[in-house]
Amino acid sequence: MKPQTPPKTYRVKSFGCQMNVYDGERMAELLGEKGLHSAPEGEEADLVVLNTCHIREKAAEKVYSDIGRLVKAGEEAGKAPMIAVAGCVAQAEGEEIMARAPAVSMVVGPQAYHRLPEMLDKAVQGERASDTDMPAIAKFDSLPQRTRRSPTAFLTVQEGCDKFCTYCVVPYTRGAEISRPFGDLIAEARRLIEAGAREITLLGQNVNAWAGEDDKGHDVGLGGLIHALARLDGLERIRYTTSHPNDMDDALIAAHGEVDKLMPYLHLPVQSGNDRVLKAMNRAHTAESYMRLLERFRAVRPDIALSGDFIVGFPGETEAEFEDTLRIVDEVRYAQAFSFKYSPRPGTPAATMVGQIAREVMDDRLQRLQARLNRDQLAFNEASVGKTCSVLIERKGKHPGQWLGKSPWLQSVWFEGEAAIGDLVEVELLEAGPNSVMGRPLATVSA
Ligand code: SAH
Ligand code: SF4
Ligand code: F3S
């Protein structure tokens, strides 16, 4: 590779989960510290970071076609951008990317992106660089201070996964479970609040596996961390995602009844409602134990909004087994949910299991499942009509005077009136749609 002009502007494109978005923000902060500026909307950037996701379908092909598009646009403009591939595809297929895509200057895995600035120096000198090491906590220690300004912020507290569900790539792309230290998290939360965050969402691949020692030297879990964060002035709302049923403990459940700032929302994936399928997935919980857990949350927080993830068409799933998933949906009545067709991921045990399900069968099952999930989401929104709740304003609507934000139950709420981004407004909910609720502002609780 020839030496390249040092890039002045960058763009980070994140394609994955919320943690991937968080990583994208941290990479942007690193590049900012290095003196680069975010490319203005609509302008080509000198450096493009493709922050990829490997969870489902054709992730790698999408990366190659994105690279192809960037190269072509660069040729037409007479100036090719420098390209970095980051995220979970970089981790899983780093070597192939280096071999197959000569236009890529840097490949950097999710546990190594703190080294992006050094890699950039090398790339400028014409030396391609790849780093997919997993040095665990070192990354967070060498990242710059948070600079992102927004009323809502993500904070990664836990990373990695030791669960090895048989369909999933995450344990391979993100590595073993680690918890960031309590003190570091309180410090990062403080800086996010100083920069304007009023709501913080704690992130982890298994966020409720977080464990640490608090400032008094006591061993605490996520419930203890949430109690400590709730004491920070200026922080109004706390959320967390994604939890695993097997990592739930009493303190976290109790926190939902004790901490006002902890929002009444729980995302707890079940994947399937059938115990044979759950076992083949290596989920280590049953449909029944999952239901009992949800009851405990509802006992301390009756209005809690529940959300889940589902996979249809796992290898060997019969029609009757799929119907158990429909049954669990009918029992729980989710406020929101994410449902996916099973996607065989290279290197995972399920990819080579017998009984791979035909695409048409998966399509049909997904459609039937989603019809029920949509029904329940609308019903949840309709049941909230007439309630008054706080809405944290995140952005302006399409029309002048229109504002959009989130209810405590993570519904999108919009209204017309006087407000500003970051305000907490008391809103009466008036009219429900499938994806949002319209309301009327009563008062600004805090600006
Ligand atoms: N750690 C979290 C989320 C992991 S990925 C958890 O265990 O809940 C987010 C969701 O993607 C999963 O919950 C699952 O529903 C889905 N998913 C993961 N691998 C998949 C695959 N191979 N095919 C289809 N969906 C998948
Ligand atoms: Fe993947 Fe299972 Fe780990 Fe979630 S718990 S990240 S689905 S292996
Ligand atoms: Fe995707 Fe990696 Fe997140 S595979 S879902 S970006 S952990």
Side-chain angles (χ1 to χ4, degrees), residues 99-387:
R100 241 180 88 176
V104 171
S105 299
M106 292 170 270
V107 165
V108 62
Q111 304 304 359
Y113 63 74
H114 55 294
R115 300 198 185 125
L116 199 54
E118 307 152 37
M119 297 171 75
L120 180 58
D121 290 337
K122 281 194 191 169
V124 167
Q125 286 158 18
E127 206 181 314
R128 297 174 83 204
S130 170
D131 192 339
T132 49
D133 281 358
M134 292 203 175
I137 210 81
K139 170 178 76 186
F140 293 106
D141 290 341
S142 38
L143 292 174
Q145 295 226 337
R146 302 303 318 265
T147 50
R148 187 187 145 77
R149 301 192 163 270
S150 161
T152 61
F154 291 139
L155 172 52
T156 292
V157 303
Q158 182 279 346
E159 260 199 283
C161 182
D162 302 337
K163 304 282 188 291
F164 291 93
C165 298
T166 53
Y167 50 81
C168 184
V169 290
V170 171
Y172 311 97
T173 61
R174 292 273 169 173
E177 290 183 4
I178 59 128
S179 294
R180 293 180 63 194
F182 179 91
D184 293 5
L185 297 173
I186 300 290
E188 187 169 329
R190 282 217 171 92
R191 282 194 295 270
L192 287 167
I193 297 164
E194 276 164 29
R198 313 197 72 188
E199 173 181 296
I200 292 183
T201 301
L202 310 177
L203 299 181
Q205 263 92 30
N206 292 291
V207 69
N208 56 337
W210 183 86
E213 213 174 76
D214 70 7
D215 43 358
K216 297 186 193 69
H218 298 141
D219 286 334
V220 290
L222 192 67
L225 178 63
I226 287 171
H227 272 282
L229 289 168
R231 288 192 285 273
L232 299 179
D233 285 338
L235 183 62
E236 308 289 345
R237 290 174 155 197
I238 302 168
R239 301 182 186 276
Y240 61 93
T241 200
T242 298
S243 298
H244 193 287
N246 298 358
D247 290 322
M248 276 302 173
D249 66 9
D250 297 343
L252 180 56
I253 298 174
H256 277 272
E258 297 160 352
V259 181
D260 289 341
K261 292 181 182 179
L262 180 58
M263 292 294 103
Y265 184 93
L266 174 69
H267 180 68
L268 192 64
V270 65
Q271 314 300 356
S272 163
N274 177 271
D275 290 347
R276 190 204 64 82
V277 174
L278 286 170
K279 194 148 188 265
M281 288 176 162
N282 192 29
R283 287 292 293 182
H285 59 78
T286 62
E288 174 65 26
S289 68
Y290 175 83
M291 290 301 293
R292 276 202 306 272
L293 253 183
L294 294 188
E295 276 161 29
R296 292 175 63 200
F297 277 91
R298 278 184 164 150
V300 295
R301 190 72 212 227
D303 70 331
I304 197 161
L306 298 171
S307 159
D309 290 350
F310 299 89
I311 296 175
V312 302
F314 184 80
E317 184 189 65
T318 65
E319 170 63 21
E321 288 168 342
F322 166 67
E323 283 168 13
D324 285 341
T325 301
L326 296 180
R327 208 158 298 130
I328 222 170
V329 168
D330 285 349
E331 272 179 56
V332 175
R333 301 283 165 162
Y334 290 93
Q336 267 188 29
F338 303 89
S339 48
F340 312 102
K341 284 184 269 192
Y342 167 72
S343 162
R345 309 314 294 136
T348 61
T352 49
M353 281 181 187
V354 288
Q356 301 286 324
I357 305 291
R359 182 140 301 269
E360 309 80 68
V361 176
M362 285 207 249
D363 287 340
D364 171 65
R365 289 181 187 168
L366 188 67
Q367 215 174 22
R368 284 153 67 202
L369 174 62
Q370 288 185 340
R372 292 195 195 204
L373 293 169
N374 292 342
R375 169 200 71 189
D376 294 345
Q377 185 171 323
L378 179 62
F380 184 90
N381 289 345
E382 281 170 345
S384 66
V385 168
K387 284 188 191 171

